Amino acid sequence: MADENVTASENTNEITEQATTPAAQASKPAVPSPAAMKPHAPSPAAFAKKTPSHPAPAATGTGFSEADVKAAEAFGRVSDDGTVFVKEAEGEREVGQFPDASKEEALALYARRYLDLKAKLDLFANRLKSSSVKSREIDDSLKTLSEETEQPAVVGDLAALKAQFEALKEEGAAKKAQLSEARKAAVAKAVAERTVIVEKAEALAAGLDSNTNWRSTSDKFRSLFQQWQEHQRNNVRIDKADADALWSRFSTARTAFNVARRKWAQTRDAERNEAKEAKEAIIAEAEALKDSTAWVETSRKFSELMDRWKKAGRAGRREDDAMWAQFRAAADTFFNARQADRDQISSSEKENLAKKEELLVKAEALVPVKDEEAAKQARQALAAIQEEWDQIGYVPRDEVRRIEGRLDAVDKQIKAVEDAAWKQSDPEADARKSSFEEQLNAQLTELDAKIAAESDPKKKAKLEAEKATKEQWLNAIK
């Protein structure tokens, strides 16, 4: 797994929205800029008349309704020298001077400034309803509006303006409390989600054993690390203590995996080296055997070498492929030579088979024999055929029983005639035959008497079966 530098604390920066400046919040063209609300240097005409030091601000546009302007003007007046006053609960307060314009123009200007300030409060009231407003924005806006509503240089209902501002302060506090609760919930959710990532990593680390698929597990850890980074970038920033604790757990699990993987790799390398040495020894033995012509013994040895090869384990894909090619080449040299020898033997055996089949034709022509003299002549001819048969050599294994059986059949036919002739000329055999015949005749006579005297059908049938058997023996020796 590619390690990436990650600090225990959050790397993402929370985006802080800056409080909207008064000039930026006033969207209507009639609203004067903050500079216009501050005293200017006196105009040349003002110097000529030796007016007081309050400058005449720039005139604003007409973004408000005439009714709104008139309502605001009711809270102010303009003196003959152009000084503008606003009525408050404590009395009047001078808010500015506009000597180069008529009283109506001067009063209208400061009335519109009041409406501008009220528009800022209205805009902030709407902003508080937004889901994207931030606590810092609320604080900054309230600070700015507090300064602007403290002693504003405007003409209008200042009591209502300040009351609205106080209400906004309460709404802002409530909104901040709401945002605080929402943030707590979001932080808790983020902690829970990141904890799930950590627990998956810990489960992977706890499940490591000899059957672990290290490549697959490495990919899973890499995926979890990417999830961690994406979650850190795209979610609310959690407390540093929680972030550090969770990262410590994740890092510990990943370190445990890396340590176990390195240990496995070291063990695997040792096993591969051992397997390589064992297979190199097997190859050396195979090279020494490849030119042997002791087909049976060497075939057995190559079979043993193959068993040892399978038990030796793997030495790495490249090394295994190269060493297997060496071992296979040595084995092929031997087995190809053995097959060539077998092919040669097979060809010779087929030739031998053809020769023996020719001899079979001659042997089978000797039978049947009719008498003892013919049997003697057939025996002499068969003996010559058998001698030539033995000198021919081996035939294919699957043909041995067939051709040997045919030759044995000829021998048996000749021997049957020879045995019959010998029995006829053997006096001892005649004596044994006569004695046996007398015994059978006596037993048959006795059986006839028992059969005649027996009344039980089952016993009588058994005696009759015995009599039939002895009669067959008597007929066979006659």
Side-chain angles (χ1 to χ4, degrees):
M1 176 183 293
D3 289 332
E4 302 181 46
N5 294 327
V6 177
T7 62
S9 61
E10 299 294 330
N11 292 329
T12 56
N13 292 323
E14 184 179 3
I15 299 174
T16 304
E17 294 188 19
Q18 299 299 325
T20 308
T21 63
Q25 288 179 326
S27 60
K28 298 182 177 63
V31 178
S33 66
M37 297 177 67
K38 296 179 181 179
H40 284 259
S43 66
F47 275 118
K49 296 181 180 180
K50 297 183 179 181
T51 58
S53 58
H54 296 290
T60 59
T62 57
F64 301 105
S65 69
E66 189 64 26
D68 291 337
V69 174
K70 291 297 182 183
E73 289 176 351
F75 290 87
R77 71 177 182 84
V78 181
S79 64
D80 293 338
D81 63 358
T83 301
V84 182
F85 297 89
V86 64
K87 300 175 183 177
E88 294 181 313
E90 297 82 5
E92 288 186 334
R93 178 172 56 85
E94 181 181 343
V95 295
Q97 193 175 50
F98 202 170
D100 294 335
S102 64
K103 291 182 179 182
E104 291 77 9
E105 290 174 336
L107 193 59
L109 173 62
Y110 283 91
R112 290 191 179 94
R113 287 183 179 178
Y114 166 82
L115 295 175
D116 285 340
L117 184 54
K118 187 177 186 307
K120 293 179 185 180
L121 297 178
D122 294 339
L123 183 61
F124 179 59
N126 289 330
R127 182 63 181 155
L128 286 176
K129 299 175 183 178
S130 171
S131 60
S132 62
V133 68
K134 306 295 183 182
S135 293
R136 186 177 299 178
E137 178 188 351
I138 294 173
D139 290 338
D140 291 344
S141 296
L142 286 173
K143 181 180 178 182
T144 300
L145 292 174
S146 176
E147 294 172 353
E148 292 184 356
T149 58
E150 181 66 23
Q151 289 290 329
V154 299
V155 170
D157 189 353
L158 297 184
L161 194 71
K162 291 181 179 181
Q164 182 181 3
F165 174 70
E166 291 300 323
L168 288 176
K169 284 172 59 177
E170 293 180 3
E171 291 179 20
K175 186 67 174 182
K176 285 176 60 179
Q178 179 184 349
L179 292 175
S180 177
E181 290 300 319
R183 173 172 172 75
K184 288 179 181 179
V187 168
K189 182 173 180 290
V191 170
E193 291 172 347
R194 204 169 298 183
T195 300
V196 171
I197 298 175
V198 171
E199 289 173 346
K200 288 181 180 179
E202 290 174 335
L204 287 176
L208 300 176
D209 55 26
S210 58
N211 297 321
T212 296
N213 185 324
W214 298 99
R215 177 175 295 180
S216 173
T217 306
S218 179
D219 291 340
K220 291 177 181 177
F221 264 105
R222 185 178 296 107
S223 175
L224 289 175
F225 181 69
Q226 291 173 350
Q227 292 176 38
W228 178 283
Q229 290 182 310
E230 291 174 2
H231 190 275
Q232 185 172 274
R233 285 193 298 265
N234 300 326
N235 286 272
V236 63
R237 183 174 181 174
I238 66 177
D239 294 339
K240 185 177 185 300
D242 292 334
D244 288 349
L246 288 172
W247 173 250
S248 177
R249 289 172 60 187
F250 183 88
S251 180
T252 298
R254 190 169 63 162
T255 299
F257 165 74
N258 289 333
V259 170
R261 182 177 61 173
R262 282 194 295 270
K263 184 177 180 180
W264 165 79
Q266 292 170 355
T267 303
R268 178 200 60 187
D269 292 343
E271 291 174 349
R272 286 182 173 181
N273 289 335
E274 184 179 346
K276 183 178 180 181
E277 293 176 0
K279 288 184 176 181
E280 286 175 343
I282 294 172
I283 291 171
E285 293 182 45
E287 291 284 350
L289 291 173
K290 67 179 182 179
D291 296 323
S292 172
T293 56
W295 308 121
V296 176
E297 179 65 16
T298 307
S299 294
R300 181 184 62 77
K301 290 182 178 179
F302 263 106
S303 179
E304 292 174 354
L305 290 178
M306 178 61 73
D307 290 339
R308 285 167 54 192
W309 183 280
K310 292 177 180 178
K311 295 176 181 178
R314 294 189 60 81
R317 183 171 182 178
R318 289 185 178 180
E319 289 80 1
D320 269 336
D321 289 347
M323 289 190 293
W324 173 252
Q326 289 179 269
F327 177 75
R328 188 70 259 175
D332 286 346
T333 298
F334 167 75
F335 286 107
N336 289 340
R338 188 188 69 171
Q339 187 60 42
D341 182 72
R342 284 183 174 178
D343 292 343
Q344 183 178 0
I345 291 175
S346 177
S347 177
S348 299
E349 289 178 347
K350 288 180 180 178
E351 293 178 1
N352 293 342
L353 177 63
K355 293 177 181 179
K356 287 189 175 183
E357 285 182 334
E358 291 178 0
L359 291 178
L360 279 175
V361 173
K362 294 180 181 180
E364 290 172 344
L366 298 176
V367 292
V369 291
K370 297 181 179 180
D371 51 34
E372 183 178 3
E373 184 63 26
K376 290 180 179 179
Q377 294 176 0
R379 174 60 64 189
Q380 292 175 354
L382 182 61
I385 290 173
Q386 287 176 329
E387 182 177 358
E388 186 178 354
W389 180 283
D390 292 338
Q391 293 176 352
I392 290 175
Y394 294 107
V395 299
R397 182 177 299 178
D398 55 353
E399 296 287 352
V400 172
R401 180 176 294 183
R402 180 179 66 83
I403 61 173
E404 293 286 352
R406 289 173 61 184
L407 188 63
D408 287 344
V410 174
D411 179 78
K412 288 179 180 178
Q413 291 186 52
I414 296 173
K415 191 174 184 306
V417 176
E418 290 174 338
D419 289 345
W422 180 81
K423 287 180 181 179
Q424 290 178 357
S425 61
D426 185 2
E428 293 182 359
D430 289 341
R432 288 193 298 273
K433 176 181 176 183
S434 176
S435 176
F436 184 54
E437 184 177 358
E438 289 177 359
Q439 292 177 7
L440 287 175
N441 286 325
Q443 291 174 357
L444 287 172
T445 300
E446 184 180 355
L447 285 171
D448 286 337
K450 288 181 177 181
I451 291 171
E454 184 61 59
S455 59
D456 189 343
K458 291 184 177 180
K459 293 182 178 180
K460 189 172 185 178
K462 185 177 180 180
L463 292 171
E464 289 177 346
E466 184 179 354
K467 177 184 176 182
T469 299
K470 292 185 181 297
E471 286 176 344
Q472 290 179 359
W473 289 352
L474 184 61
N475 293 333
I477 62 174
K478 287 183 178 180

